Amino acid sequence: MIKIENSRLTVFRDKRLPREPGIIRPLPADLLEKIPEHFQVDTVKIKNAHVEYEEYNEKTDKAGKITVARLNGQITRVRNHNLVRSDSLHLVADGFIEDSIFTKLNVKESYTDSLGGFLMTVQMGSADLVVLNPVLRPLASAELKSGRLDTLSLRVVGREELAFGEIKMSYHNLKVLVVKKGGSKKPLLSGIKNFFVNQLIKDESNEKGSRIFIRRQRDRSAINYLVKITLNGITNTITGKKSKKAYRQNKKEIAAKPLPQIEM
């Protein structure tokens, strides 16, 4: 067993800088298998970690940051040899997004699936959603004027290059402002868009679901991938965006892949 206490991880990505072509960053299980020496660890325990993910968006010309504080969890079956079909790298963790939204993450990634298959669930508890504005404004061009989350559950089937699933949110008093990219002034079109977005979610108390479909930017890290999957689901739900077209184009594959159960 390995114990890691009071650690700090900071990830920063500047999307204005060109990426080296042809780079594919492996997901964790594949990364472990690439290590030439054989090793095996039953459990890696993480206590009171702090994670920061920051991205400078070239479209909005702004940086968005999301933090996870008081992160605790464990990673099991950490090994790179004597692997069988049923072996999976398993991460279970909980922490507080923006130091206020209690969140549970459960990820199982296959060691032997050639497509890098994984299952992922996320649960969030009651919180003030306005705390997400520092990441929603620059990365999703949206701002929450108000909103209280009651519960959130997300279920995803993923692989190395894409992920799909569903998200369900229960909330009340949610008011969304769609921000114009590149400036603070809001033309007539933005005003009309804001009106229709808020008409869709105007109920004082509501529960909404949304589909998730995202293609991975394969030259980005695994943390980037997990963050983008979660943000895709949240922003689709609160801004009224949908992934129907992507679902129609991939409906046979999606129908063949049952979503993971939420572990309470």
Side-chain angles (χ1 to χ4, degrees), residues 8-139:
R8 188 179 187 93
L9 174 63
T10 301
V11 179
F12 176 76
R13 163 70 178 137
D14 190 340
K15 294 184 68 176
R16 298 169 298 177
L17 302 178
R19 304 288 287 192
E20 185 179 348
I23 295 295
I24 298 178
R25 300 197 181 279
L27 297 182
D30 189 36
L31 183 63
L32 290 174
E33 290 188 73
K34 291 181 182 299
I35 298 174
E37 291 79 15
H38 286 181
F39 69 91
Q40 179 172 332
V41 180
D42 291 333
T43 305
V44 178
K45 285 192 173 291
I46 302 167
K47 182 177 179 181
N48 195 36
H50 185 93
V51 178
E52 293 183 2
Y53 176 84
E54 186 173 8
E55 180 178 299
Y56 200 103
N57 189 288
E58 81 282 13
K59 295 179 180 179
T60 61
D61 200 31
K62 294 180 180 177
K65 179 191 288 188
I66 187 165
T67 65
V68 182
R70 293 174 279 164
L71 177 65
N72 299 287
Q74 65 179 28
I75 307 170
T76 55
R77 299 178 182 175
V78 183
R79 58 177 181 250
N80 66 354
H81 66 105
N82 294 331
L83 300 170
V84 297
R85 186 179 180 85
S86 60
D87 280 339
S88 297
L89 183 67
H90 190 189
L91 165 66
V92 179
D94 59 69
F96 292 81
I97 294 178
E98 297 301 308
D99 208 22
S100 62
I101 305 177
F102 180 70
T103 304
K104 295 177 65 177
L105 172 68
N106 192 327
V107 181
K108 290 182 179 179
E109 182 188 354
S110 171
Y111 277 115
T112 59
D113 185 350
S114 61
L115 298 178
F118 66 90
L119 303 176
M120 169 181 166
T121 63
V122 176
Q123 293 173 271
M124 294 184 185
S126 177
D128 185 353
L129 286 171
V130 175
V131 301
L132 294 177
N133 277 334
V135 69
L136 290 176
R137 288 192 195 103
L139 302 188

Side-chain angles (χ1 to χ4, degrees), residues 106 118-123 152-158 163-168 210-213 229-230 233 247 257-263:
N106 192 327
F118 66 90
L119 303 176
M120 169 181 166
T121 63
V122 176
Q123 293 173 271
L152 176 151
S153 63
L154 175 151
R155 304 187 297 161
V156 163
V157 171
F164 54 83
E166 67 177 19
I167 183 172
K168 293 182 179 180
S210 180
R211 291 173 173 173
I212 298 169
F213 192 97
I229 290 171
T230 306
Y247 254 66
K257 297 284 188 179
L259 295 176
Q261 295 293 318
I262 295 290
E263 296 184 11

Side-chain angles (χ1 to χ4, degrees), residues 52 131 172-173 238-239:
E52 293 183 2
V131 301
H172 57 275
N173 195 33
I238 67 176
T239 64

